[in-house]
Amino acid sequence: MVVDVRQPAGLSEFYLCEELQRRIWGTDNPVPAHVLIAGHRNGGLLLMAFEDGKPVGFCFGITGRDGNTTYFYNHMLGVVAEARNRGVGYLLKLKLREHVLDTGLNLIKWTYDPLQSRNAALYIGKLGAICRKYAVNYYGEIRDTLNAGYESDRFIAEWWLDSLRVQRRIENGGMRLKLSDVDNKARYALESRVDGCVRKAAKVKLNLESKMVLVEVPWDIGLVKQLNPKFAVDWRTKTRVVFHEYLSRGYVVVDFAVNEDEKRSFYILSKETITNIMTL
């Protein structure tokens, strides 16, 4: 299938994004077309992905500022279920990167749920974003099928567009790191154990001093929520404590690794300097 990523061709395509949001997130309250239009025409950007002329994904954001730092804030990115695992989200992000670099900016930020391992693999592993901040219940209650059931904790992702780190990952087509590739000096700050049909957050260690620590998250948090909602809440509670502890001590989320045989996912946190991290 050929994917075409572009800006909306007319007003009607902004309205298509309302329906895309309903399909992707199961929400009854999509960001309305008039807000998308206003943002797009005033320093923001809406990009849409089409397969054989049919809309299958989009990303939307605005220009942001934190103190003296100006950046692009990518508020939403989504792909319909039937088009996932085909690189659509990756293409949307690459096209967004081109646009933002053309405006003279070098940083894109966004938030995402740390428990969504599919997103982590794309954002951290493949695109080379990093995370230094963890926000508790960032959006409050989100009433859609994806987020309902627990608080909306978020990582603040930073994508430094022309860093050597990002350039290398794009040139190599992104990374898919296996847990077996991780330095054996890394220590586990959070691990799981099998409990019934799913894995449960179990061992937590908050006093590690190694240069690299591993934090496990669910392979599929949606499945956990479906089979055992209490386990999903427990994953949120335990990972919140672990991430807050290590990020507050100067660790940075730098990579993501998987054990496909056991269906397990791990963030890699490093205490390297940012200068060194930008070359990893």
Side-chain angles (χ1 to χ4, degrees):
M1 303 287 282
V2 176
V3 178
D4 179 28
V5 176
R6 58 171 174 78
Q7 298 183 39
L11 289 177
S12 63
E13 292 190 344
F14 286 93
Y15 286 89
L16 288 177
C17 275
E18 291 186 3
E19 181 57 28
L20 277 175
Q21 291 172 67
R22 294 186 184 97
R23 291 170 61 193
I24 293 166
W25 295 301
T27 179
D28 294 325
N29 298 289
V31 174
H34 67 265
V35 174
L36 299 174
I37 293 167
H40 183 77
R41 292 177 174 176
N42 292 276
L45 179 68
L46 175 64
L47 290 174
M48 300 179 66
F50 296 84
E51 275 188 348
D52 291 344
K54 297 179 180 179
V56 294
F58 77 102
C59 68
F60 172 71
I62 57 177
T63 303
R65 178 172 292 174
D66 184 0
N68 294 323
T69 302
T70 302
Y71 54 89
F72 188 87
Y73 181 73
N74 184 189
H75 176 51
M76 294 186 292
L77 181 145
V79 177
V80 297
E82 57 268 30
R84 288 172 192 160
N85 299 318
R86 298 211 288 264
V88 177
Y90 184 61
L91 290 175
L92 281 163
K93 282 289 191 184
L94 293 187
K95 196 70 173 180
L96 177 61
R97 176 178 180 266
E98 291 178 12
H99 172 85
V100 173
L101 284 172
D102 285 344
T103 68
L105 298 178
N106 180 39
L107 172 63
I108 298 177
K109 291 185 180 183
W110 63 88
T111 66
Y112 79 96
D113 184 347
L115 300 185
Q116 292 288 344
S117 59
R118 182 196 304 271
N119 290 347
L122 171 61
Y123 299 152
I124 309 301
K126 197 167 184 178
L127 293 173
I130 63 171
C131 299
R132 292 185 280 184
K133 294 181 180 180
Y134 183 98
V136 174
N137 202 26
Y138 188 85
Y139 294 107
E141 182 182 4
I142 300 179
R143 299 175 182 176
D144 61 27
T145 55
L146 181 66
N147 295 282
Y150 58 19
E151 293 184 315
S152 58
D153 290 19
R154 294 292 184 266
F155 270 150
I156 312 298
E158 304 171 34
W159 198 24
W160 293 93
L161 304 182
D162 65 359
S163 66
L164 187 58
R165 167 190 176 86
V166 170
Q167 291 179 43
R168 282 176 173 169
R169 300 214 179 191
I170 291 175
E171 289 169 0
N172 294 332
M175 292 179 60
R176 185 167 178 80
L177 195 63
K178 295 180 180 179
L179 187 61
S180 58
D181 297 327
V182 178
D183 192 325
N184 58 16
K185 295 180 181 178
R187 296 293 177 262
Y188 292 85
L190 174 60
E191 289 185 89
S192 71
R193 63 178 173 83
V194 176
D195 191 317
C197 299
V198 293
R199 301 193 74 93
K200 177 181 180 179
K203 298 179 183 178
V204 173
K205 296 180 181 178
L206 301 178
N207 59 352
L208 299 176
E209 297 292 342
S210 57
K211 203 168 185 178
M212 184 184 299
V213 298
L214 300 173
V215 179
E216 186 169 1
V217 292
W219 182 266
D220 184 345
I221 186 61
L223 182 62
V224 176
K225 289 173 70 174
Q226 177 184 338
L227 297 178
N228 195 319
K230 290 183 179 179
F231 282 9
V233 173
D234 191 50
W235 272 108
R236 173 68 86 214
T237 302
K238 285 186 169 66
T239 53
R240 175 188 290 175
V241 171
V242 171
F243 286 127
H244 181 269
E245 172 64 24
Y246 285 97
L247 295 185
S248 69
R249 287 166 47 194
Y251 285 84
V252 178
V253 176
V254 297
D255 228 320
F256 193 74
V258 298
N259 179 332
E260 293 192 5
D261 293 336
E262 297 183 5
K263 296 292 187 287
R264 300 176 72 183
S265 305
F266 298 83
Y267 284 99
I268 301 172
L269 280 61
S270 172
K271 217 171 184 181
E272 288 277 1
T273 66
I274 289 297
T275 300
N276 288 340
I277 287 170
M278 286 299 108
T279 64
L280 294 175

